[in-house]
DNA sequence: CTGTCAATCGCGCATTTGGGTAGTTTCTCA
DNA sequence: TGAGAAACTACCCAAATGCGCGATTGACAG
């Protein structure tokens, strides 16, 4: 089971160095390298590898835009970002855009191959500080001021239910639901269902 | 800079083993241990440590509920979960609830201390497969079928704007906005603004 | 024991919304 | 060149919504 790796990296030296390292390691093959997303992405589509190493700082189309494009065209293809800086915010953006992990340029060959192996095995190699950043973005920011009942109602608002349906589901009258929603509006400082849903999800009061 | 660690774990043996290991290691101190959230959380509030090891499977209040409670009372306190299973879904839930990472019971002492160190240094120790699960939850599922204009409108729906306001902002008539929203509904298979916003954010068509 | 707050219920009314129908224009892509 | 889309405009009308004014009950804290 050889892992076929492709590389998109504008620096010729780094590109060749990576290719030689990867192609020379048992279990890995690197036969496709490009210097830009513009040339590389069509190449990927033509003959999809198992994994792509994508430089994050590319001229013209950036690596992040590249990830977005690749996920449109080849949703199954794993993309591993290459970054100069350990904790670049761009790395975080890349993960949001669809990258599975990232490598730091200048990483010792052994660790680099470890990371590629981890990624191709379904992992997500990343540095501790990025990991924390990623995990933190899960955490709810502020304490939600909503009561249990209000959260139930809010959940149903997200699904587009109306007074009647919510009332039936909660075994109360539509007027009660109306009252709850009014209270939700006040607590969240909003005036419509759509805004309440938007704010609730952004503030992670839900899900 | 000694890292003060507290432990909440119902199994007496594991609890003592962990305490001895941690307390006996240079740079770490463990003077607080409890067998449940009910007793432990008040104790944490009284004298907050730097980090808590929290068993995920506790009788009565689970570790996950415990994390939620702790984040309400002590938002700055890092919680590291203890799990029996490598890839328990509960681990993922814990991270969502606010844990910074987790440890697997039976991890070699060296790696266990490494993980605690990583967590207290601002990292998020977790296994590769959980990392991928976490990262994947960032990725947008499907390609969004909305046009550019529709996305603009959808954004404003999230803010609770009405036809009139959106129309003014986009320099078009309210009827046009209405038409756009109608198309959005059809593409997203929804029938109300709230549902559209909920679906759009869940499917990561926005933000 | 008093006050606050969640949860429950009610009604009227102006406004907004959603659904239907019916077009024009512009632009891309086959 | 012709089909399809995106973007734009307009009207009607029933239904849903938001907001105003109430109200009672029970639990829980000070």
């Amino acid at each position: 089971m050889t892992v076929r790796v492709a590389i998109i990296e504008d620096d010729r030296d780094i590109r060749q160095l990576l290719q030689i390292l990867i192609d020379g390691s048992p279990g890995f093959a690197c036969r496709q390298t490009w210097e830009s997303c513009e040339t590389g992405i069509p190449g990927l589509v033509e003959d999809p590898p198992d994994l792509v190493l994508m430089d994050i700082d590319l001229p013209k189309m950036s690596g992040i835009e590249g990830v977005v494009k690749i996920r449109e065209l080849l949703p199954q293809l794993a993309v591993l970002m290459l970054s100069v800086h350990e904790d670049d915010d761009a790395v975080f953006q890349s993960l949001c855009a669809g990258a599975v992990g990232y490598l730091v340029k200048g990483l010792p060959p052994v660790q680099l191959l470890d990371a590629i192996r981890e990624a191709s095995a379904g992992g997500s190699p990343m540095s501790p500080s990025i990991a924390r950043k990623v995990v933190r973005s899960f955490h709810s920011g502020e304490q939600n001021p909503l009561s249990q009942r209000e959260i139930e109602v809010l959940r149903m608002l997200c699904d587009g239910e109306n007074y009647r349906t919510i009332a039936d589901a909660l075994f109360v009258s539509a007027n009660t639901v109306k009252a709850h929603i009014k209270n939700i509006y006040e607590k969240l400082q909003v005036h419509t269902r759509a805004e309440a849903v938007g704010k609730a999800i952004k503030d992670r009061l839900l899900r």
Side-chain angles (χ1 to χ4, degrees), chain A:
Chain A
M1 277 299 296
T2 301
V3 180
R4 289 165 303 154
V5 179
I7 298 173
I8 300 180
E9 158 70 61
D10 62 328
D11 186 298
R12 182 197 166 99
D13 293 339
I14 296 179
R15 194 168 68 238
Q16 293 193 338
L17 215 63
L18 284 171
Q19 182 178 23
I20 292 169
L21 170 65
I22 294 167
D23 210 30
S25 301
F28 297 98
C30 180
R31 296 292 153 68
Q32 301 164 295
T33 73
W34 294 278
E35 58 172 10
S36 73
C37 285
E38 286 76 11
T39 56
I41 293 179
L44 292 173
V45 173
E46 215 165 281
D47 179 21
D50 299 312
L51 187 147
V52 187
L53 298 187
M54 166 84 79
D55 185 18
I56 213 165
D57 297 308
L58 290 171
K60 296 196 72 175
M61 189 189 293
S62 77
I64 296 177
E65 295 170 275
V67 174
V68 175
K69 263 276 177 297
I70 290 175
R71 286 195 60 82
E72 280 174 28
L73 303 170
L74 302 163
Q76 298 307 315
L77 180 54
V79 182
L80 211 47
M81 303 305 284
L82 287 170
S83 168
V84 193
H85 309 294
E86 257 278 346
D87 283 355
D88 201 344
D89 189 61
V91 172
F92 186 70
Q93 296 295 324
S94 302
L95 294 179
C96 292
V100 300
Y102 76 97
L103 305 179
V104 177
K105 286 180 182 175
L107 204 66
V110 181
Q111 288 178 40
L112 194 143
L113 290 173
D114 275 348
I116 295 179
R117 204 174 286 118
E118 183 180 328
S120 68
S124 277
M126 56 181 131
S127 76
S129 58
I130 287 286
R132 172 65 77 98
K133 205 170 172 180
V134 167
V135 166
R136 204 194 308 268
S137 77
F138 271 161
H139 302 351
S140 58
E142 296 146 60
Q143 184 43 32
N144 82 359
L146 302 178
S147 71
Q148 201 51 48
R149 202 56 157 172
E150 283 160 0
I151 290 175
E152 289 182 76
V153 173
L154 189 50
R155 265 186 224 291
M156 304 196 66
L157 284 186
C158 282
D159 296 333
E161 313 291 4
N162 59 19
Y163 292 133
R164 184 77 262 139
T165 314
I166 298 177
D168 290 348
L170 300 182
F171 304 107
V172 296
S173 84
N175 286 312
T176 302
V177 174
K178 218 168 180 179
H180 284 311
I181 292 180
K182 210 180 308 185
N183 290 329
I184 292 173
Y185 287 170
E186 205 162 306
K187 290 184 180 177
L188 298 187
Q189 291 281 289
V190 298
H191 305 89
T192 68
R193 290 151 123 81
E195 197 180 359
V197 171
K199 183 146 192 166
I201 298 184
K202 276 171 198 150
D203 290 356
R204 301 191 184 275
L205 305 179
L206 284 186
R207 286 183 77 228

mmCIF file of all heavy atoms in Angstrom, chain A residues 50-80:
data_model
loop_
_atom_site.group_PDB
_atom_site.id
_atom_site.type_symbol
_atom_site.label_atom_id
_atom_site.label_comp_id
_atom_site.label_asym_id
_atom_site.label_seq_id
_atom_site.Cartn_x
_atom_site.Cartn_y
_atom_site.Cartn_z
ATOM 1 N N ASP A 50 -3.122 10.172 -3.453
ATOM 2 C CA ASP A 50 -3.782 9.919 -2.176
ATOM 3 C C ASP A 50 -3.746 11.145 -1.279
ATOM 4 O O ASP A 50 -4.602 11.323 -0.415
ATOM 5 C CB ASP A 50 -3.088 8.761 -1.443
ATOM 6 C CG ASP A 50 -3.141 7.474 -2.249
ATOM 7 O OD1 ASP A 50 -4.238 7.130 -2.724
ATOM 8 O OD2 ASP A 50 -2.086 6.832 -2.432
ATOM 9 N N LEU A 51 -2.725 11.971 -1.509
ATOM 10 C CA LEU A 51 -2.519 13.097 -0.604
ATOM 11 C C LEU A 51 -1.746 14.204 -1.323
ATOM 12 O O LEU A 51 -0.913 13.916 -2.173
ATOM 13 C CB LEU A 51 -1.725 12.594 0.608
ATOM 14 C CG LEU A 51 -1.482 13.501 1.811
ATOM 15 C CD1 LEU A 51 -1.450 12.655 3.077
ATOM 16 C CD2 LEU A 51 -0.183 14.268 1.672
ATOM 17 N N VAL A 52 -2.051 15.435 -0.996
ATOM 18 C CA VAL A 52 -1.337 16.570 -1.599
ATOM 19 C C VAL A 52 -0.639 17.374 -0.520
ATOM 20 O O VAL A 52 -1.237 17.672 0.518
ATOM 21 C CB VAL A 52 -2.306 17.530 -2.326
ATOM 22 C CG1 VAL A 52 -1.519 18.590 -3.069
ATOM 23 C CG2 VAL A 52 -3.214 16.784 -3.254
ATOM 24 N N LEU A 53 0.605 17.717 -0.769
ATOM 25 C CA LEU A 53 1.269 18.709 0.071
ATOM 26 C C LEU A 53 1.106 20.053 -0.616
ATOM 27 O O LEU A 53 1.486 20.211 -1.773
ATOM 28 C CB LEU A 53 2.770 18.398 0.230
ATOM 29 C CG LEU A 53 3.137 17.089 0.897
ATOM 30 C CD1 LEU A 53 4.652 17.021 1.118
ATOM 31 C CD2 LEU A 53 2.410 16.960 2.219
ATOM 32 N N MET A 54 0.504 21.004 0.085
ATOM 33 C CA MET A 54 0.192 22.292 -0.542
ATOM 34 C C MET A 54 0.867 23.427 0.214
ATOM 35 O O MET A 54 0.625 23.593 1.416
ATOM 36 C CB MET A 54 -1.330 22.478 -0.525
ATOM 37 C CG MET A 54 -1.814 23.877 -0.824
ATOM 38 S SD MET A 54 -1.940 24.199 -2.568
ATOM 39 C CE MET A 54 -3.498 23.355 -2.899
ATOM 40 N N ASP A 55 1.719 24.158 -0.480
ATOM 41 C CA ASP A 55 2.330 25.330 0.146
ATOM 42 C C ASP A 55 1.242 26.346 0.451
ATOM 43 O O ASP A 55 0.313 26.534 -0.326
ATOM 44 C CB ASP A 55 3.372 25.943 -0.795
ATOM 45 C CG ASP A 55 4.110 27.091 -0.127
ATOM 46 O OD1 ASP A 55 4.078 27.185 1.119
ATOM 47 O OD2 ASP A 55 4.723 27.893 -0.850
ATOM 48 N N ILE A 56 1.366 26.992 1.610
ATOM 49 C CA ILE A 56 0.312 27.914 2.025
ATOM 50 C C ILE A 56 0.511 29.291 1.379
ATOM 51 O O ILE A 56 -0.444 30.012 1.115
ATOM 52 C CB ILE A 56 0.268 28.008 3.569
ATOM 53 C CG1 ILE A 56 -1.160 28.220 4.043
ATOM 54 C CG2 ILE A 56 1.180 29.090 4.096
ATOM 55 C CD1 ILE A 56 -1.330 27.956 5.533
ATOM 56 N N ASP A 57 1.760 29.640 1.106
ATOM 57 C CA ASP A 57 2.045 30.948 0.482
ATOM 58 C C ASP A 57 2.422 30.765 -0.974
ATOM 59 O O ASP A 57 3.589 30.563 -1.304
ATOM 60 C CB ASP A 57 3.211 31.644 1.207
ATOM 61 C CG ASP A 57 2.886 31.956 2.651
ATOM 62 O OD1 ASP A 57 1.830 32.565 2.879
ATOM 63 O OD2 ASP A 57 3.679 31.581 3.533
ATOM 64 N N LEU A 58 1.434 30.828 -1.811
ATOM 65 C CA LEU A 58 1.697 30.701 -3.244
ATOM 66 C C LEU A 58 1.360 32.009 -3.930
ATOM 67 O O LEU A 58 0.448 32.727 -3.494
ATOM 68 C CB LEU A 58 0.839 29.569 -3.845
ATOM 69 C CG LEU A 58 1.192 28.140 -3.448
ATOM 70 C CD1 LEU A 58 0.132 27.179 -3.951
ATOM 71 C CD2 LEU A 58 2.557 27.761 -3.995
ATOM 72 N N PRO A 59 2.080 32.353 -4.988
ATOM 73 C CA PRO A 59 1.703 33.549 -5.753
ATOM 74 C C PRO A 59 0.369 33.278 -6.457
ATOM 75 O O PRO A 59 0.000 32.137 -6.659
ATOM 76 C CB PRO A 59 2.851 33.693 -6.764
ATOM 77 C CG PRO A 59 3.414 32.329 -6.895
ATOM 78 C CD PRO A 59 3.223 31.666 -5.561
ATOM 79 N N LYS A 60 -0.308 34.319 -6.829
ATOM 80 C CA LYS A 60 -1.642 34.196 -7.433
ATOM 81 C C LYS A 60 -2.593 33.445 -6.478
ATOM 82 O O LYS A 60 -2.809 33.917 -5.373
ATOM 83 C CB LYS A 60 -1.600 33.517 -8.814
ATOM 84 C CG LYS A 60 -0.816 34.343 -9.852
ATOM 85 C CD LYS A 60 -1.082 33.891 -11.254
ATOM 86 C CE LYS A 60 -2.497 34.266 -11.741
ATOM 87 N NZ LYS A 60 -2.713 33.924 -13.142
ATOM 88 N N MET A 61 -3.077 32.294 -6.884
ATOM 89 C CA MET A 61 -4.015 31.592 -6.012
ATOM 90 C C MET A 61 -3.281 31.000 -4.807
ATOM 91 O O MET A 61 -2.356 30.209 -4.957
ATOM 92 C CB MET A 61 -4.722 30.461 -6.778
ATOM 93 C CG MET A 61 -5.870 29.847 -5.968
ATOM 94 S SD MET A 61 -6.559 28.347 -6.704
ATOM 95 C CE MET A 61 -7.317 28.968 -8.183
ATOM 96 N N SER A 62 -3.699 31.415 -3.603
ATOM 97 C CA SER A 62 -3.024 30.943 -2.401
ATOM 98 C C SER A 62 -3.362 29.485 -2.113
ATOM 99 O O SER A 62 -4.292 28.926 -2.694
ATOM 100 C CB SER A 62 -3.443 31.785 -1.195
ATOM 101 O OG SER A 62 -4.735 31.389 -0.756
ATOM 102 N N GLY A 63 -2.594 28.919 -1.212
ATOM 103 C CA GLY A 63 -2.844 27.535 -0.838
ATOM 104 C C GLY A 63 -4.223 27.346 -0.246
ATOM 105 O O GLY A 63 -4.864 26.321 -0.441
ATOM 106 N N ILE A 64 -4.672 28.368 0.496
ATOM 107 C CA ILE A 64 -5.990 28.260 1.129
ATOM 108 C C ILE A 64 -7.091 28.220 0.073
ATOM 109 O O ILE A 64 -7.978 27.366 0.126
ATOM 110 C CB ILE A 64 -6.220 29.439 2.094
ATOM 111 C CG1 ILE A 64 -5.195 29.363 3.227
ATOM 112 C CG2 ILE A 64 -7.634 29.409 2.654
ATOM 113 C CD1 ILE A 64 -5.264 30.494 4.202
ATOM 114 N N GLU A 65 -6.991 29.129 -0.898
ATOM 115 C CA GLU A 65 -7.967 29.086 -1.997
ATOM 116 C C GLU A 65 -7.856 27.755 -2.732
ATOM 117 O O GLU A 65 -8.863 27.194 -3.178
ATOM 118 C CB GLU A 65 -7.705 30.237 -2.976
ATOM 119 C CG GLU A 65 -7.920 31.616 -2.376
ATOM 120 C CD GLU A 65 -7.425 32.714 -3.303
ATOM 121 O OE1 GLU A 65 -6.211 33.044 -3.271
ATOM 122 O OE2 GLU A 65 -8.238 33.251 -4.073
ATOM 123 N N GLY A 66 -6.628 27.278 -2.829
ATOM 124 C CA GLY A 66 -6.391 26.001 -3.502
ATOM 125 C C GLY A 66 -7.138 24.865 -2.815
ATOM 126 O O GLY A 66 -7.758 24.027 -3.474
ATOM 127 N N VAL A 67 -7.084 24.870 -1.480
ATOM 128 C CA VAL A 67 -7.779 23.822 -0.722
ATOM 129 C C VAL A 67 -9.271 23.863 -1.020
ATOM 130 O O VAL A 67 -9.905 22.826 -1.246
ATOM 131 C CB VAL A 67 -7.550 23.996 0.795
ATOM 132 C CG1 VAL A 67 -8.381 22.997 1.570
ATOM 133 C CG2 VAL A 67 -6.083 23.816 1.133
ATOM 134 N N VAL A 68 -9.813 25.074 -1.024
ATOM 135 C CA VAL A 68 -11.243 25.228 -1.294
ATOM 136 C C VAL A 68 -11.576 24.628 -2.661
ATOM 137 O O VAL A 68 -12.521 23.841 -2.794
ATOM 138 C CB VAL A 68 -11.651 26.711 -1.254
ATOM 139 C CG1 VAL A 68 -13.110 26.864 -1.668
ATOM 140 C CG2 VAL A 68 -11.425 27.282 0.142
ATOM 141 N N LYS A 69 -10.779 25.006 -3.660
ATOM 142 C CA LYS A 69 -10.989 24.490 -5.019
ATOM 143 C C LYS A 69 -10.898 22.971 -5.062
ATOM 144 O O LYS A 69 -11.751 22.301 -5.647
ATOM 145 C CB LYS A 69 -9.917 25.062 -5.961
ATOM 146 C CG LYS A 69 -10.359 26.284 -6.754
ATOM 147 C CD LYS A 69 -11.115 25.877 -8.007
ATOM 148 C CE LYS A 69 -11.623 27.088 -8.771
ATOM 149 N NZ LYS A 69 -12.590 27.858 -7.965
ATOM 150 N N ILE A 70 -9.865 22.445 -4.429
ATOM 151 C CA ILE A 70 -9.665 20.996 -4.450
ATOM 152 C C ILE A 70 -10.837 20.267 -3.792
ATOM 153 O O ILE A 70 -11.291 19.226 -4.264
ATOM 154 C CB ILE A 70 -8.335 20.612 -3.753
ATOM 155 C CG1 ILE A 70 -7.153 21.059 -4.621
ATOM 156 C CG2 ILE A 70 -8.258 19.108 -3.492
ATOM 157 C CD1 ILE A 70 -5.797 20.838 -3.989
ATOM 158 N N ARG A 71 -11.355 20.862 -2.715
ATOM 159 C CA ARG A 71 -12.465 20.209 -2.040
ATOM 160 C C ARG A 71 -13.741 20.229 -2.878
ATOM 161 O O ARG A 71 -14.623 19.404 -2.688
ATOM 162 C CB ARG A 71 -12.702 20.828 -0.671
ATOM 163 C CG ARG A 71 -11.636 20.399 0.327
ATOM 164 C CD ARG A 71 -12.078 20.709 1.731
ATOM 165 N NE ARG A 71 -13.298 20.036 2.076
ATOM 166 C CZ ARG A 71 -13.384 18.785 2.490
ATOM 167 N NH1 ARG A 71 -12.292 18.055 2.589
ATOM 168 N NH2 ARG A 71 -14.530 18.257 2.814
ATOM 169 N N GLU A 72 -13.792 21.216 -3.792
ATOM 170 C CA GLU A 72 -14.934 21.233 -4.709
ATOM 171 C C GLU A 72 -14.820 20.097 -5.710
ATOM 172 O O GLU A 72 -15.784 19.395 -5.980
ATOM 173 C CB GLU A 72 -14.971 22.554 -5.496
ATOM 174 C CG GLU A 72 -15.563 23.723 -4.742
ATOM 175 C CD GLU A 72 -15.422 25.017 -5.533
ATOM 176 O OE1 GLU A 72 -15.388 24.962 -6.782
ATOM 177 O OE2 GLU A 72 -15.324 26.079 -4.884
ATOM 178 N N LEU A 73 -13.599 19.957 -6.238
ATOM 179 C CA LEU A 73 -13.391 19.032 -7.351
ATOM 180 C C LEU A 73 -13.131 17.603 -6.883
ATOM 181 O O LEU A 73 -13.587 16.651 -7.494
ATOM 182 C CB LEU A 73 -12.214 19.525 -8.210
ATOM 183 C CG LEU A 73 -12.388 20.956 -8.764
ATOM 184 C CD1 LEU A 73 -11.099 21.455 -9.395
ATOM 185 C CD2 LEU A 73 -13.532 20.968 -9.786
ATOM 186 N N LEU A 74 -12.357 17.459 -5.807
ATOM 187 C CA LEU A 74 -11.995 16.132 -5.311
ATOM 188 C C LEU A 74 -12.179 16.077 -3.798
ATOM 189 O O LEU A 74 -11.213 16.153 -3.040
ATOM 190 C CB LEU A 74 -10.519 15.833 -5.653
ATOM 191 C CG LEU A 74 -10.118 15.881 -7.132
ATOM 192 C CD1 LEU A 74 -8.616 15.980 -7.278
ATOM 193 C CD2 LEU A 74 -10.635 14.636 -7.843
ATOM 194 N N PRO A 75 -13.415 15.909 -3.373
ATOM 195 C CA PRO A 75 -13.706 15.992 -1.936
ATOM 196 C C PRO A 75 -12.979 14.937 -1.101
ATOM 197 O O PRO A 75 -12.785 15.123 0.083
ATOM 198 C CB PRO A 75 -15.221 15.761 -1.877
ATOM 199 C CG PRO A 75 -15.715 16.012 -3.252
ATOM 200 C CD PRO A 75 -14.597 15.629 -4.163
ATOM 201 N N GLN A 76 -12.608 13.834 -1.731
ATOM 202 C CA GLN A 76 -11.983 12.750 -0.979
ATOM 203 C C GLN A 76 -10.485 12.929 -0.788
ATOM 204 O O GLN A 76 -9.858 12.243 0.015
ATOM 205 C CB GLN A 76 -12.230 11.408 -1.691
ATOM 206 C CG GLN A 76 -13.697 11.039 -1.796
ATOM 207 C CD GLN A 76 -14.378 11.076 -0.442
ATOM 208 O OE1 GLN A 76 -13.856 10.575 0.550
ATOM 209 N NE2 GLN A 76 -15.554 11.718 -0.380
ATOM 210 N N LEU A 77 -9.899 13.844 -1.554
ATOM 211 C CA LEU A 77 -8.442 14.007 -1.541
ATOM 212 C C LEU A 77 -7.975 14.759 -0.297
ATOM 213 O O LEU A 77 -8.445 15.854 0.004
ATOM 214 C CB LEU A 77 -8.015 14.749 -2.814
ATOM 215 C CG LEU A 77 -6.533 15.035 -2.998
ATOM 216 C CD1 LEU A 77 -5.714 13.759 -2.868
ATOM 217 C CD2 LEU A 77 -6.287 15.685 -4.350
ATOM 218 N N ALA A 78 -7.045 14.143 0.444
ATOM 219 C CA ALA A 78 -6.512 14.782 1.656
ATOM 220 C C ALA A 78 -5.456 15.820 1.290
ATOM 221 O O ALA A 78 -4.581 15.557 0.472
ATOM 222 C CB ALA A 78 -5.912 13.730 2.572
ATOM 223 N N VAL A 79 -5.590 16.987 1.878
ATOM 224 C CA VAL A 79 -4.625 18.059 1.627
ATOM 225 C C VAL A 79 -3.884 18.394 2.918
ATOM 226 O O VAL A 79 -4.507 18.629 3.951
ATOM 227 C CB VAL A 79 -5.304 19.335 1.102
ATOM 228 C CG1 VAL A 79 -4.264 20.403 0.805
ATOM 229 C CG2 VAL A 79 -6.144 19.029 -0.116
ATOM 230 N N LEU A 80 -2.569 18.378 2.845
ATOM 231 C CA LEU A 80 -1.738 18.709 3.993
ATOM 232 C C LEU A 80 -1.026 20.014 3.661
ATOM 233 O O LEU A 80 -0.370 20.131 2.637
ATOM 234 C CB LEU A 80 -0.719 17.575 4.206
ATOM 235 C CG LEU A 80 -0.211 17.245 5.591
ATOM 236 C CD1 LEU A 80 -1.345 17.146 6.589
ATOM 237 C CD2 LEU A 80 0.565 15.951 5.533
#
